[in-house]
Amino acid sequence: MPVRRYGGPDNNSSSGVSSALKPANTSGSRLPSMHRDAVPQQDCCVNEEEGVQQPSVGSEVHLVSDATRRAVQQPSSGAPYATDAKFDSSTPQFNAMKSSEYTFRTNERQRELYKALRALPPLPELQEPRCVEEYCEVSLEDSLYRIVEANDVVVVAGAFFGDEGKGKTVDAVARHPLCTCIARVNSGENAGHTVFDKTGRKFVFNLAPSGLLLPGKRNYVGPECVMDPISFMEKEVIQLIEAGVDYQDRLFIGNVCIVTPYHKLLDLLGSATNSSTLKGMAPVHGSKVTKRGIRLDHIFNDEETLRARLEKDMGTYFGLLKLKNLSDADVVRRCQEENSDGVLRVPDYVVAFAQAEDKVEFLVQLYRDRVRCNPNFPARCDVIHELRAAVLRGEKVLLEGPQSYWLSNARTKFWESTTSADTTASGLLAASQLNFQQFRTVVLNVHKTPGSSRVGIGACPSSFVPQDYFSAQNIKTLHDLPPAACADFEAIQRTLFRHGFPFSKNKALHNGIMAPVEYSDETGTYNIGVAMAIASAKHHGECGAVTKKPRVCGFFDCVLQHEVNNNQGPYLTISAIDRGDDYDMIGVTIAYVYHNLEGKQVDVDGHVYKNGDIIRAGDPVPSESALYHCYPIVKLIDGWSGSPVAASKRRRNTPLPRGVCELLSTIEYFTNSKVLSIGNGPNGDDIIYLGQ
C-alpha cells in the first residue's frame, strides 16, 4: 500500500531533510527470475464464509534474479543512499519521527498496517454513483463564456495543492472580449504558469499575469504581491523584450512589497535542505507583517528613507548569521553548493549581495540602476483603483490564482506546510479589494487527474508516497531519478490495479484498501507506491513549475475536493484527463480510514480520531496531525485506453468513453461539483467543454 508516515524503525517516512533510500537486504538463497509484471508470490488465507482467497501480508515479495538482487544491494546511478536518517528539528514532523527511514521495498510496518485494514468492510459508497451520466461536448461560447458573461469578476483558483494546470483556464477566460483585466493580487514568484503564443513560443511566468501575450488586455500585479524586481526583469520581462512583445501598455505594477537578496538568503540558510523554493517567501512576508520591509514606492522616492528601512529590516539577516556563526564567505559557499548541479537557484546578484562590504549601499545602488532608472521597468499604477474602475465600466476582471486552496496559510488543516499568503479564492478577493457585495463573482476551481499531485511537504493521504519522499533524498529534478528505475509505466500501473487491489474485479468484496505488493525491474524491487511515484513523475513529466522538483502523484481526492467546492462554489475544470489513456483503471479516493499502529488518538477541534474512524467526503477535514495516519479508500473505475481522448487522437464532438463519464460522475457525486471542462492535451485549446 502507499508508503505513509508513521513513527518507528523501518518507517517509510522522514522529516523532510536528508534521510534516503535504504536498499533491502536480499542476500541469501538463490532466487529464480520473474517477469516484472507477474503476480507477487503470496501466502493465502481462506475466507471460509466467502470461499475466496485473500492475500496474506506475510510474504508479499516478488522473486527476483541474482542480477536484480545485486542491483538492489548497490546504489543505482543518480539515486543517493544513506543508511542513517538525519533530522532538522525545525521541520513540523520532527517530534513524531526521530528514527524513521525510507526504503524502496515494503517494510514490516506497512505489512502490519495492511493486516489491520484489509478486513475493513466495504463502504456502501463504493457502489456509488448508481447512475453514470452522459456528458456531451459543447462549444466554448455555450459553456465557459456564458458563465463569464453572467459575472463581473472571475477567479481562477487551484483546488488542490498547486500546479493543477490553471493556465489553460486562465487563457480561455482572458480571451473573452469583455475580459480586459488580468491580475495577480497576492503571493510571489514561487508560483509558475506556462503559456504559449499563437506561433507556439513558450513563456514561463512566475509573477507576471498570463494575459500578457493577448493584445488589448491589461495585466496587473497588485500591491499585496511580493516581488523581487531584479528577478522579475531578468526572468520574466526579458522574455517579452526578446520576443518583441510590446508590454508597456499591457503590464502595470502596484506598490508591491519587495523581496530583497537577504530575504532569499534567509530562506536558503533557514530552511530544511531541498524543502523550499528559495524565493524568500516566508522571510518577506515576515517583513511585510511587521511593517519593516520596503515597498516599490520606497525605491522611487527618497534614498535616505530607503537606506534606513533596509538597515532596520536587514537586522534579521545579520541576527541569523550571528546565531549560526556564519561569515559572508560561509554564505557564499552555501550559495555555490546550492548551484553546484548547474541549476541557478541562487542568482548572481544575491551572491554579490552576500559578498558586499556595505550591503545597504549595495541594495540602494542595485535598485537605483536596475529598477528606478531602468527604462524597461513596467509602468506603475494604483492597481486596486484600476480594477474597480474597469468593473464599473462594465468590463470583466480575471483574478489569476497562485498556488491553491490547500496551500493557503489561511487553511489551518495544513498550516504547518502551506505557503505564506492566503491563496484561496476568498484570499484573492480580499487582496483585490473588490466589493463582493456589489460585483457578481464566480470561482472556477481547477484540479488535475489522473496523477493528482501535491507541491511541497506535508500530509496527503491520497499520494503514492509521503510528500518529502524525493526531497529527502536530495533529488532536485527529474534528471536526478535513476534513468532505468521504474521506467515501464504501463507495467507498473497494471501491477497496481491488478494486484494492489486484490478484489478490483469483485465489487462486493473490494474495500478500497491498497495492498503492499511489489514491483521488480532490472534495477531492483519496489513497493508499488514507490514504483508508481517514480514512474508517474517520469511518465507525466511531473515537476514543479518553479522548483523543477519531481512532484508526488496520487489519486483524485474527493474528501479534500468536497470542502473546496463547498467553500468556493461548484464549478470545476479538470486538466490532463488525457493521461487516462495510459491507465487500465483510474483510482478515486472517496473516504479515509484513520489507523495508528500504536493506537494513539488525535484530538482535532474537539473531535478525537481513533482507529477505524471513517472520514467521508463532506465530513470535517482533520488537520495534518490526524491526516498523517489516514489512508485512502479508493473506488476503481475502468480506464478508456481503447478509446483515447487525447486531442491528437480524438475528433471533436466524438462521444466520451464510458470510463471518462464514470470518472466525472463519481467526482460530481462525491464533491458536489459541476465539471465545466476537461483538458485533453498540451495546447491551450486542447479543452473539451461540457454541456451544463
Side-chain angles (χ1 to χ4, degrees), residues 67-185:
T68 298
R69 183 173 65 247
R70 288 192 296 270
V72 176
Q73 290 174 319
Q74 299 296 326
S76 57
S77 61
Y81 286 68
T83 57
D84 296 319
K86 299 179 182 179
F87 296 91
D88 182 339
S89 60
S90 65
T91 59
Q93 300 83 18
F94 174 72
N95 291 330
M97 295 165 294
K98 292 185 178 180
S99 60
S100 56
E101 296 176 348
Y102 280 127
T103 59
F104 274 145
R105 302 194 63 169
T106 303
N107 60 46
E108 188 57 36
R109 290 179 67 84
Q110 288 175 290
R111 294 190 177 96
E112 290 177 19
L113 182 65
Y114 180 62
K115 185 176 181 179
L117 296 179
R118 67 179 182 181
L120 183 75
L123 298 182
E125 293 93 328
L126 285 166
Q127 308 303 320
E128 301 291 351
R130 303 286 177 172
C131 178
V132 174
E133 300 287 340
E134 291 187 6
Y135 295 82
C136 61
E137 182 176 2
V138 299
S139 67
L140 169 65
E141 291 74 17
D142 288 335
S143 177
L144 181 63
Y145 277 8
R146 287 189 176 183
I147 295 173
V148 173
E149 290 161 5
N151 291 276
D152 303 308
V153 181
V154 179
V155 181
V156 176
F160 200 48
F161 288 95
D163 287 335
E164 299 97 344
K166 297 180 285 290
K168 275 189 183 182
T169 302
V170 167
D171 185 64
V173 174
R175 291 179 183 276
H176 192 286
L178 292 179
C179 182
T180 60
C181 303
I182 301 94
R184 278 285 308 275
V185 292

Side-chain angles (χ1 to χ4, degrees), residues 27-39:
S27 60
S29 59
R30 181 180 178 85
L31 300 175
S33 62
M34 186 175 188
H35 188 271
R36 69 182 65 179
D37 191 37
V39 180

Side-chain angles (χ1 to χ4, degrees), residues 47 50 78 122 150 172 182 202 218 420 450 536 568 625 632 634 651 690:
N47 183 326
E50 301 293 342
I182 301 94
K202 179 181 178 180
R218 301 189 302 280
S420 302
S536 54
Q568 298 192 163
S625 57
V634 181
R651 289 193 301 176
L690 305 174

Side-chain angles (χ1 to χ4, degrees), residues 67 98 157 425 431 550-551 604 654 689-690:
K98 292 185 178 180
R551 287 194 292 256
V604 178
T654 301
Y689 294 97
L690 305 174

Side-chain angles (χ1 to χ4, degrees), residues 584-604:
D584 288 357
M585 305 187 85
I586 307 295
V588 177
T589 298
I590 65 162
Y592 309 145
V593 56
Y594 177 92
H595 191 87
N596 183 299
L597 282 175
E598 284 72 39
K600 295 180 180 178
Q601 300 178 353
V602 177
D603 187 327
V604 178

